[in-house]
Amino acid sequence: MRDAARFLFGRRARRRWVHLILGGALAMPYVLVGEVIVGPLTGSRHVFDSLPLQLLSFAVGLPLAAVTALFPLTRPMSVAAVRALCGIGADVLAEGPARTWAARRRAAAWFTLHLGFGGIISGMSLAVPPFAAVLIALPAVSLLRDSRLGLPEVLDHGWALALSPVAGTVTLIALAGCAAGSGGLLARWAPRLLGPTPEDRLAAAERRAADLAVRNRLARELHDSVGHALSAVTLQAGAARRVLDTDPDFVREALTAIEDTTRRTVGELDAVLGMLREGDDRERRPGPDAAAGSGHREPATPTLDADLDGLLRRTRAGGLCVTAAVEVRPETLPPLVSREAYRIVQEALSNALKHAGPGTRVTLRIALTGDGARTELCMTAENPVSRAVPAPRPGGGHGLRGIADRARLLGGTAEAGPADGLWRLAVRLPVRPPAERSEEPA
C-alpha cells in the first residue's frame, strides 16, 4: 500500500506531473494554431466549446510541434527539463544541440510525445479535480443537488448519491495513476530519444582526448619550469650559504640569479594558469562562443632565441659548469621547435643539477645536422655517469619521459643513457614538418 501511494503521490511522481503540465503549456500555442485550421475546415465558429473539435485541434497541432522541434536547440531544452523534473541521470542524456538529422528526429519525437502526454494530462488535471470535488461533496451539500451543474440524472437516486464520494475519490486516484504512468513512460523513453548518438559519443571522446592532451601539456610545462626553478634556487642558495663569509661577490651573484629565476618562474606559472582559466571560461560558455574561443592566443613561453642565454647564466650560478656550443641561429628555427627545444634543454640541465650536483661539467651542443632534405636539430648534454645516475626519488622519473614526449610530438627522437663513461642525452627534432621534407627532390 505504501509503495502504491509513493508511486502515485511521491516526490518523483509529483515532479514528473509538473513535467507533464509543462508539456501541456508548451502544447497550447500549437492547439490554438490547430483551432485556426479546424474551424474553417469544419465550418464551426465555436471550436473551443466542442470537446471533439478541441481534440481534433490537438491532433492537428502535434505534427506542427514535431516539425518545429527539428531545430537543434530543442534537445538541450528537453534534456534540461528531463534532468530537473524526471529524475534521469545526466550520464544517459546527450549534451548540447542535436547536430545530425538522426538526433534531431529523435529529439522531435520526444518533444511530440512530451506535448502529447502533457496536453492530455493537463486537460485532465483541469477538468477532473473540480468534478471529483463535486462528487465527494454532493451528499453533504444539498445546494449542489439543486443547482444546474449538468450532473448526470443517475445521481438523483439515493444509492448513486451515497456512492458519489467513492466515485469522486476513485476519479482522483485514476488521474494520479494516469499522470504517474505517463511520467514513467516518458522517463523510460528519455534515454532512448534524448540519449547520445554515436556522433555525440565520438565528439565527447574527442573532447576528453583534447582535455587530456592539454592537461599533459600543462603538467609538462609545470614540471619543467617549476622543477627546474626549484632545483636551481636550492643549489644556488646552498652554494651561497657555504661561501657567505668568504666570497660576497659570489653570494651577490647567486642571490641575483635566485631573484631572476623566481621572477621568470612566476611569470611562466601565471601563463599556464591563464590557459587553465581560459579553458574553464570556454566550458562555462557553451555554444558558438566556446568554439570560437578554442583558437585562443598562446601565452608567451620561453624560446631558444630569447631565453637560452638567461637559462645558461642561471644554471651556472647554481654551480653547474656548462659548456655550450650553439651551432645554429636560434632565430631561424620555427617557433614551435624553438619553444620545445628550450624546454628540453631546461629539463636536461635541471636533471644534471638534481642528480649530478654542483661542480659537474655539462657539455651542451645544439646544431643542424643532415642534408637539406633531412634537416634536424641535434642537442646533446653530457656529464659524468657516476654522478648522474642517483637512486630513484619518490615521485621522480618524469623528466626524461617528458623530454621523450616532447620530441615524439614533433616527430623527433630522444635517447638517454650511459655512453663511454658519460651520461648522454641526444634529442633530434625535425626543423621542418615531414610533409615538407618529403616534397624535396631526391
Side-chain angles (χ1 to χ4, degrees):
M1 190 68 179
R2 182 177 300 176
D3 293 339
R6 186 182 298 111
F7 173 76
L8 295 176
F9 304 105
R11 183 175 181 272
R12 183 173 62 180
R14 295 196 304 270
R15 294 172 68 90
R16 290 177 177 177
W17 201 334
V18 172
H19 183 250
L20 290 167
I21 298 298
L22 175 62
L26 292 174
M28 284 302 300
Y30 300 101
V31 175
L32 294 176
V33 174
E35 289 179 356
V36 174
I37 297 174
V38 169
L41 291 179
T42 59
S44 175
R45 298 182 179 179
H46 304 286
V47 177
F48 189 78
D49 297 333
S50 172
L51 179 60
L53 292 181
Q54 282 289 302
L55 293 177
L56 181 59
S57 301
F58 183 65
V60 171
L62 284 181
L64 298 177
V67 173
T68 58
L70 291 173
F71 289 99
L73 294 180
T74 300
R75 188 173 72 175
M77 180 190 69
S78 299
V79 167
V82 169
R83 285 178 177 170
L85 298 173
C86 289
I88 304 299
D91 55 332
V92 297
L93 299 176
E95 294 282 351
R99 299 299 184 186
T100 63
W101 278 107
R104 294 183 186 184
R105 288 194 295 268
R106 290 167 59 185
W110 163 264
F111 188 75
T112 306
L113 287 172
H114 182 203
L115 268 60
F117 280 102
I120 294 172
I121 298 300
S122 296
M124 293 174 62
S125 300
L126 290 174
V128 170
F131 179 70
V134 170
L135 291 180
I136 293 173
L138 191 60
V141 183
S142 60
L143 182 62
L144 292 176
R145 296 194 296 271
D146 299 334
S147 64
R148 298 179 178 274
L149 293 177
L151 296 174
E153 294 181 359
V154 68
L155 293 176
D156 294 336
H157 299 283
W159 61 268
L161 193 63
L163 292 176
S164 64
V166 177
T169 303
V170 171
T171 303
L172 289 176
I173 295 175
L175 172 61
C178 291
S182 300
L185 285 176
L186 288 179
R188 178 174 297 181
W189 291 335
R192 300 179 184 177
L193 298 179
L194 297 178
T197 62
E199 293 79 5
D200 294 327
R201 294 189 179 92
L202 178 60
E206 291 175 347
R207 287 194 298 271
R208 286 194 294 270
D211 290 340
L212 289 176
V214 171
R215 288 176 182 271
N216 289 336
R217 176 185 172 186
L218 294 180
R220 287 197 301 268
E221 295 289 336
L222 289 175
H223 176 273
D224 292 349
S225 61
V226 178
H228 172 80
L230 291 177
S231 299
V233 166
T234 300
L235 292 175
Q236 288 163 353
R241 178 180 55 81
R242 286 191 295 270
V243 297
L244 181 62
D245 298 326
T246 60
D247 194 347
D249 293 336
F250 179 83
V251 172
R252 187 179 298 108
E253 182 181 353
L255 292 177
T256 302
I258 290 174
E259 180 183 4
D260 186 29
T261 300
T262 53
R263 182 184 295 112
R264 292 183 58 85
T265 304
V266 169
E268 294 178 16
L269 184 60
D270 286 342
V272 173
L273 294 179
M275 294 175 62
L276 282 174
R277 284 192 292 268
E278 288 182 10
D280 291 340
D281 291 341
R282 289 194 301 274
E283 290 179 0
R284 298 190 193 100
R285 189 179 62 247
D289 293 341
S294 59
H296 67 281
R297 182 178 58 86
E298 290 287 340
T301 53
T303 61
L304 282 182
D305 180 26
D307 303 280
L308 179 61
D309 291 340
L311 174 64
L312 295 176
R313 183 179 63 255
R314 293 188 299 273
T315 304
R316 289 166 179 150
L320 196 67
C321 300
V322 182
T323 301
V326 182
E327 302 172 9
V328 61
R329 295 172 58 192
E331 65 273 12
T332 63
L333 298 175
L336 179 60
V337 174
S338 182
R339 182 172 66 244
E340 296 301 315
Y342 174 88
R343 289 301 190 192
I344 290 172
V345 172
Q346 183 185 53
E347 180 58 28
L349 297 178
S350 178
N351 283 344
L353 278 172
K354 288 184 290 188
H355 299 320
T360 302
R361 303 189 64 84
V362 175
T363 301
L364 172 67
R365 176 174 175 264
I366 304 176
L368 291 175
T369 63
D371 55 29
R374 295 192 305 273
T375 303
E376 295 177 325
L377 181 66
C378 178
M379 296 173 294
T380 59
E382 299 176 345
N383 52 296
V385 67
S386 59
R387 302 181 64 186
V389 187
R393 298 180 294 109
H398 300 290
L400 292 178
R401 187 189 312 166
I403 290 176
D405 289 341
R406 290 181 184 275
R408 185 173 60 253
L409 289 175
L410 292 179
T413 60
E415 300 176 356
D420 300 328
L422 297 174
W423 179 268
R424 185 172 185 270
L425 169 66
V427 179
R428 286 179 171 82
L429 302 179
V431 173
R432 285 176 292 173
E436 294 184 14
R437 295 200 307 267
S438 63
E439 295 175 358
E440 296 283 344

Short mmCIF file of all heavy atoms in Angstrom, two decimals, residues 44-71:
data_model
loop_
_atom_site.label_atom_id
_atom_site.label_comp_id
_atom_site.label_asym_id
_atom_site.label_seq_id
_atom_site.Cartn_x
_atom_site.Cartn_y
_atom_site.Cartn_z
N SER A 44 -17.26 25.50 -38.26
CA SER A 44 -17.74 25.80 -36.91
C SER A 44 -17.04 27.04 -36.39
O SER A 44 -15.85 27.23 -36.57
CB SER A 44 -17.49 24.62 -35.97
OG SER A 44 -17.85 24.96 -34.64
N ARG A 45 -17.85 27.90 -35.72
CA ARG A 45 -17.28 29.10 -35.11
C ARG A 45 -17.05 28.92 -33.61
O ARG A 45 -16.61 29.86 -32.95
CB ARG A 45 -18.23 30.28 -35.33
CG ARG A 45 -18.43 30.64 -36.80
CD ARG A 45 -19.33 31.86 -36.91
NE ARG A 45 -19.54 32.25 -38.31
CZ ARG A 45 -20.30 33.28 -38.70
NH1 ARG A 45 -20.94 34.02 -37.77
NH2 ARG A 45 -20.44 33.56 -39.97
N HIS A 46 -17.38 27.77 -33.10
CA HIS A 46 -17.27 27.54 -31.65
C HIS A 46 -16.44 26.29 -31.40
O HIS A 46 -16.90 25.31 -30.81
CB HIS A 46 -18.66 27.41 -31.03
CG HIS A 46 -19.57 28.58 -31.30
ND1 HIS A 46 -19.40 29.78 -30.67
CD2 HIS A 46 -20.60 28.71 -32.17
CE1 HIS A 46 -20.32 30.63 -31.12
NE2 HIS A 46 -21.07 30.00 -32.03
N VAL A 47 -15.23 26.30 -31.90
CA VAL A 47 -14.34 25.15 -31.72
C VAL A 47 -14.02 24.95 -30.24
O VAL A 47 -13.97 23.81 -29.76
CB VAL A 47 -13.04 25.37 -32.52
CG1 VAL A 47 -12.07 24.22 -32.29
CG2 VAL A 47 -13.35 25.50 -34.01
N PHE A 48 -13.88 26.06 -29.52
CA PHE A 48 -13.49 25.95 -28.12
C PHE A 48 -14.58 25.31 -27.26
O PHE A 48 -14.30 24.73 -26.22
CB PHE A 48 -13.15 27.33 -27.58
CG PHE A 48 -12.53 27.31 -26.21
CD1 PHE A 48 -11.19 26.97 -26.05
CD2 PHE A 48 -13.28 27.60 -25.09
CE1 PHE A 48 -10.61 26.93 -24.79
CE2 PHE A 48 -12.71 27.57 -23.82
CZ PHE A 48 -11.37 27.24 -23.67
N ASP A 49 -15.84 25.38 -27.70
CA ASP A 49 -16.94 24.84 -26.91
C ASP A 49 -17.21 23.37 -27.20
O ASP A 49 -18.06 22.76 -26.54
CB ASP A 49 -18.22 25.64 -27.17
CG ASP A 49 -18.08 27.09 -26.74
OD1 ASP A 49 -17.26 27.34 -25.83
OD2 ASP A 49 -18.75 27.96 -27.32
N SER A 50 -16.50 22.80 -28.17
CA SER A 50 -16.75 21.42 -28.57
C SER A 50 -15.54 20.55 -28.21
O SER A 50 -14.43 20.81 -28.71
CB SER A 50 -17.04 21.35 -30.08
OG SER A 50 -17.11 20.00 -30.52
N LEU A 51 -15.75 19.54 -27.36
CA LEU A 51 -14.65 18.66 -27.00
C LEU A 51 -14.10 17.90 -28.20
O LEU A 51 -12.89 17.81 -28.37
CB LEU A 51 -15.11 17.69 -25.91
CG LEU A 51 -14.05 16.68 -25.44
CD1 LEU A 51 -12.83 17.41 -24.87
CD2 LEU A 51 -14.64 15.72 -24.40
N PRO A 52 -14.93 17.33 -29.09
CA PRO A 52 -14.37 16.65 -30.27
C PRO A 52 -13.51 17.57 -31.14
O PRO A 52 -12.46 17.17 -31.63
CB PRO A 52 -15.61 16.15 -31.02
CG PRO A 52 -16.65 16.02 -29.96
CD PRO A 52 -16.39 17.14 -29.01
N LEU A 53 -14.00 18.82 -31.32
CA LEU A 53 -13.20 19.74 -32.14
C LEU A 53 -11.91 20.14 -31.43
O LEU A 53 -10.88 20.38 -32.06
CB LEU A 53 -14.03 20.97 -32.48
CG LEU A 53 -15.21 20.74 -33.42
CD1 LEU A 53 -15.94 22.05 -33.70
CD2 LEU A 53 -14.74 20.11 -34.74
N GLN A 54 -11.96 20.24 -30.10
CA GLN A 54 -10.74 20.52 -29.35
C GLN A 54 -9.73 19.38 -29.52
O GLN A 54 -8.52 19.63 -29.72
CB GLN A 54 -11.07 20.71 -27.87
CG GLN A 54 -11.65 22.07 -27.54
CD GLN A 54 -10.60 23.17 -27.65
OE1 GLN A 54 -9.58 23.13 -26.98
NE2 GLN A 54 -10.86 24.14 -28.50
N LEU A 55 -10.21 18.17 -29.43
CA LEU A 55 -9.30 17.02 -29.62
C LEU A 55 -8.76 16.99 -31.04
O LEU A 55 -7.59 16.65 -31.26
CB LEU A 55 -10.05 15.72 -29.31
CG LEU A 55 -10.45 15.52 -27.84
CD1 LEU A 55 -11.25 14.23 -27.68
CD2 LEU A 55 -9.23 15.51 -26.93
N LEU A 56 -9.60 17.37 -32.03
CA LEU A 56 -9.13 17.42 -33.41
C LEU A 56 -8.07 18.51 -33.57
O LEU A 56 -7.05 18.31 -34.26
CB LEU A 56 -10.31 17.67 -34.35
CG LEU A 56 -9.98 17.73 -35.85
CD1 LEU A 56 -9.33 16.42 -36.30
CD2 LEU A 56 -11.24 18.03 -36.66
N SER A 57 -8.27 19.65 -32.93
CA SER A 57 -7.27 20.73 -32.98
C SER A 57 -5.96 20.27 -32.35
O SER A 57 -4.88 20.59 -32.84
CB SER A 57 -7.80 21.97 -32.27
OG SER A 57 -8.99 22.43 -32.86
N PHE A 58 -6.09 19.53 -31.27
CA PHE A 58 -4.90 18.99 -30.60
C PHE A 58 -4.16 18.03 -31.52
O PHE A 58 -2.92 18.06 -31.62
CB PHE A 58 -5.33 18.30 -29.31
CG PHE A 58 -4.20 17.76 -28.49
CD1 PHE A 58 -3.27 18.61 -27.91
CD2 PHE A 58 -4.05 16.39 -28.29
CE1 PHE A 58 -2.22 18.12 -27.15
CE2 PHE A 58 -3.00 15.90 -27.54
CZ PHE A 58 -2.09 16.76 -26.98
N ALA A 59 -4.91 17.18 -32.24
CA ALA A 59 -4.30 16.22 -33.16
C ALA A 59 -3.64 16.94 -34.34
O ALA A 59 -2.60 16.49 -34.85
CB ALA A 59 -5.35 15.24 -33.67
N VAL A 60 -4.21 18.05 -34.77
CA VAL A 60 -3.61 18.81 -35.87
C VAL A 60 -2.35 19.55 -35.40
O VAL A 60 -1.37 19.70 -36.15
CB VAL A 60 -4.64 19.81 -36.45
CG1 VAL A 60 -3.98 20.76 -37.44
CG2 VAL A 60 -5.77 19.05 -37.13
N GLY A 61 -2.35 19.99 -34.15
CA GLY A 61 -1.21 20.75 -33.64
C GLY A 61 0.03 19.92 -33.37
O GLY A 61 1.15 20.44 -33.46
N LEU A 62 -0.14 18.63 -33.05
CA LEU A 62 1.03 17.80 -32.73
C LEU A 62 2.00 17.66 -33.91
O LEU A 62 3.22 17.75 -33.70
CB LEU A 62 0.57 16.43 -32.23
CG LEU A 62 0.03 16.38 -30.81
CD1 LEU A 62 -0.36 14.97 -30.43
CD2 LEU A 62 1.05 16.94 -29.81
N PRO A 63 1.54 17.41 -35.15
CA PRO A 63 2.51 17.37 -36.25
C PRO A 63 3.25 18.70 -36.43
O PRO A 63 4.43 18.70 -36.80
CB PRO A 63 1.64 17.05 -37.47
CG PRO A 63 0.45 16.35 -36.91
CD PRO A 63 0.19 17.00 -35.60
N LEU A 64 2.56 19.81 -36.19
CA LEU A 64 3.25 21.10 -36.27
C LEU A 64 4.35 21.18 -35.22
O LEU A 64 5.43 21.72 -35.46
CB LEU A 64 2.24 22.23 -36.08
CG LEU A 64 1.12 22.33 -37.13
CD1 LEU A 64 0.16 23.46 -36.75
CD2 LEU A 64 1.71 22.56 -38.51
N ALA A 65 4.06 20.66 -34.02
CA ALA A 65 5.08 20.64 -32.96
C ALA A 65 6.27 19.79 -33.37
O ALA A 65 7.42 20.14 -33.09
CB ALA A 65 4.46 20.13 -31.67
N ALA A 66 6.00 18.66 -34.02
CA ALA A 66 7.09 17.79 -34.45
C ALA A 66 7.99 18.49 -35.46
O ALA A 66 9.22 18.35 -35.42
CB ALA A 66 6.52 16.50 -35.04
N VAL A 67 7.38 19.27 -36.38
CA VAL A 67 8.19 19.97 -37.39
C VAL A 67 9.06 21.04 -36.74
O VAL A 67 10.26 21.17 -37.03
CB VAL A 67 7.28 20.57 -38.47
CG1 VAL A 67 8.08 21.45 -39.42
CG2 VAL A 67 6.57 19.47 -39.24
N THR A 68 8.47 21.83 -35.85
CA THR A 68 9.25 22.89 -35.22
C THR A 68 10.31 22.34 -34.27
O THR A 68 11.29 23.03 -33.96
CB THR A 68 8.32 23.83 -34.44
OG1 THR A 68 7.59 23.08 -33.46
CG2 THR A 68 7.33 24.51 -35.37
N ALA A 69 10.14 21.10 -33.80
CA ALA A 69 11.11 20.51 -32.88
C ALA A 69 12.36 20.01 -33.58
O ALA A 69 13.28 19.51 -32.93
CB ALA A 69 10.47 19.36 -32.12
N LEU A 70 12.43 20.14 -34.91
CA LEU A 70 13.63 19.70 -35.64
C LEU A 70 14.79 20.68 -35.50
O LEU A 70 15.89 20.39 -35.96
CB LEU A 70 13.29 19.51 -37.12
CG LEU A 70 12.37 18.33 -37.44
CD1 LEU A 70 11.99 18.35 -38.92
CD2 LEU A 70 13.04 17.00 -37.09
N PHE A 71 14.56 21.83 -34.88
CA PHE A 71 15.66 22.77 -34.66
C PHE A 71 16.65 22.18 -33.65
O PHE A 71 16.25 21.50 -32.70
CB PHE A 71 15.12 24.10 -34.15
CG PHE A 71 14.37 24.89 -35.20
CD1 PHE A 71 13.00 24.88 -35.25
CD2 PHE A 71 15.07 25.63 -36.13
CE1 PHE A 71 12.32 25.59 -36.22
CE2 PHE A 71 14.41 26.35 -37.11
CZ PHE A 71 13.02 26.34 -37.16
#
